Amino acid sequence: MTEISDTIWLVYNEASGSNDERSLAELEEAIAAAGCEIVGRTCFPDDPAPGPSDLDAAGAGVLAIFGGDGTISSVIRGVYGWGGAVLPLPGGTMNLLSRRMHGDDAMPSEILARIGRGKARKTRPSLIRSRHGDGLTGVLAGPGTEWNEVREAMREANLLEMLTSTTEAIAWSANGPKVACRDVDCGRPEGYAAITINPEDEGLHVKGYFAETIGDYARHGVALLQHDFRNGPHDDLGRHETIRLVCPAGEPMGLLIDGEPFDGAAEEVFRLVPSEIDIVTTSDAR
């Protein structure tokens, strides 16, 4: 295993799904138990994330990010080129990058314990690059992205907004402008209600999700909220180094990257590239 630095700058997001005073205190105890020292702290996004110069000045060798995929993705993009390593820790709702690096059920305390036992290494996993920036976990394109509004209403515990946005999401999923693949022989020319792109070592894994009834659209929406489309009706569109998505209607497409909304155009291109910074993985210790 690669030696991992024992000096940590901790970034946490108090608004993320698993973050509260108790979980943060338990995390800091786990860091100490692993023989590591916290040399800096940032409550993001209340305070700006540290840059490479901040980390170097503090003597940090690891940037630990305790938050959801959106938080982790945003912070990582700001430290490209830094000589240290990033440690993603599950502190949000989906935690897809943490699951990819440490396993589905690994909690922060177990991840830190593995590091303390020397069961960690650095890696540069594949990710998705587009004009909007890099996606570490996945892209969702199409009218199905409207369900993100439902998810935000759920986060804020706004029942009225959740009911309204659910009705709108079902209608838009069924009638909004679909998205389709171009340049490769993949899928239905009329497009899909949702296309997912996930980075894998073998390429960008693309799937197109369709629906025949309003009930199907509702089930897709629930799957989006759980970030698990696997059981929905879909076409496997293969693995590709580059994928071009278009909206046949010529309208801007809905777009989520690492769960965060972006303004999509009528055409978007995505490429498979390696990470530009080391990321700590403990998956070998499972």
Side-chain angles (χ1 to χ4, degrees):
M1 294 286 179
T2 306
E3 183 175 348
I4 305 299
S5 172
D6 60 1
T7 53
I8 291 177
W9 187 303
L10 176 62
V11 174
Y12 57 95
N13 184 348
E14 291 182 334
S16 291
S18 303
N19 267 306
D20 55 33
E21 290 185 5
R22 179 178 178 180
S23 60
L24 186 59
E26 291 174 348
L27 173 60
E28 294 188 1
E29 290 175 3
I31 290 173
C36 298
E37 176 189 4
I38 298 176
V39 297
R41 290 178 177 81
T42 299
C43 179
F44 181 84
D46 295 346
D47 297 313
S53 60
D54 302 312
L55 298 168
D56 288 340
V62 171
L63 174 60
I65 310 172
F66 182 44
D69 292 311
T71 296
I72 292 174
S73 180
S74 178
V75 174
I76 284 181
R77 287 195 294 265
V79 293
Y80 277 179
W82 179 51
V86 173
L87 172 63
L89 295 170
T93 305
M94 307 304 177
N95 304 313
L96 295 182
L97 183 62
S98 293
R99 289 161 62 181
R100 185 180 176 192
M101 293 295 100
H102 309 299
D104 287 345
D105 301 322
M107 300 300 290
S109 58
E110 171 59 23
I111 294 167
L112 268 300
R114 293 172 184 174
I115 292 174
R117 298 195 302 269
K119 302 296 184 180
R121 62 181 175 86
K122 300 174 185 177
T123 185
R124 294 207 170 191
S126 300
L127 49 80
I128 306 167
R129 179 155 293 167
S130 73
R131 67 185 182 91
H132 303 283
D134 292 345
L136 301 172
T137 60
V139 168
L140 175 68
T145 57
E146 187 72 13
W147 284 89
N148 187 61
E149 299 298 323
V150 182
R151 186 176 65 180
E152 292 303 312
M154 291 176 63
R155 283 179 176 176
E156 298 172 5
N158 187 328
L159 180 59
L160 178 59
E161 178 62 27
M162 185 175 68
L163 292 173
T164 301
S165 56
T166 297
T167 302
E168 293 174 348
I170 292 175
W172 188 247
S173 297
N175 302 308
K178 293 180 170 52
V179 289
C181 295
R182 289 294 183 264
D183 295 336
V184 291
D185 181 19
C186 63
R188 306 179 180 207
E190 69 273 20
Y192 296 89
I195 289 180
T196 61
I197 306 174
N198 296 104
E200 299 177 357
D201 292 339
E202 300 80 11
L204 298 176
H205 193 184
V206 185
K207 296 180 181 180
Y209 290 82
F210 56 89
E212 307 294 346
T213 68
I214 292 298
D216 288 337
Y217 286 110
R219 282 188 288 274
H220 276 321
V222 172
L224 170 61
L225 299 178
Q226 298 173 341
H227 220 293
D228 184 4
F229 279 92
R230 288 172 295 182
N231 295 325
H234 67 275
D235 295 329
D236 192 320
L237 306 181
R239 291 172 174 80
H240 312 272
E241 291 294 317
T242 300
I243 195 77
R244 183 164 67 104
L245 301 185
V246 301
C247 175
E251 299 184 35
M253 68 181 71
L255 191 63
L256 296 176
I257 301 176
D258 290 344
E260 299 299 318
F262 288 83
D263 293 327
E267 177 177 322
E268 296 285 351
V269 177
F270 304 92
R271 295 185 294 116
L272 183 75
V273 298
S275 169
E276 294 188 16
I277 191 167
D278 289 334
I279 298 180
V280 177
T281 176
T282 64
S283 59
D284 297 339
R286 287 181 289 171

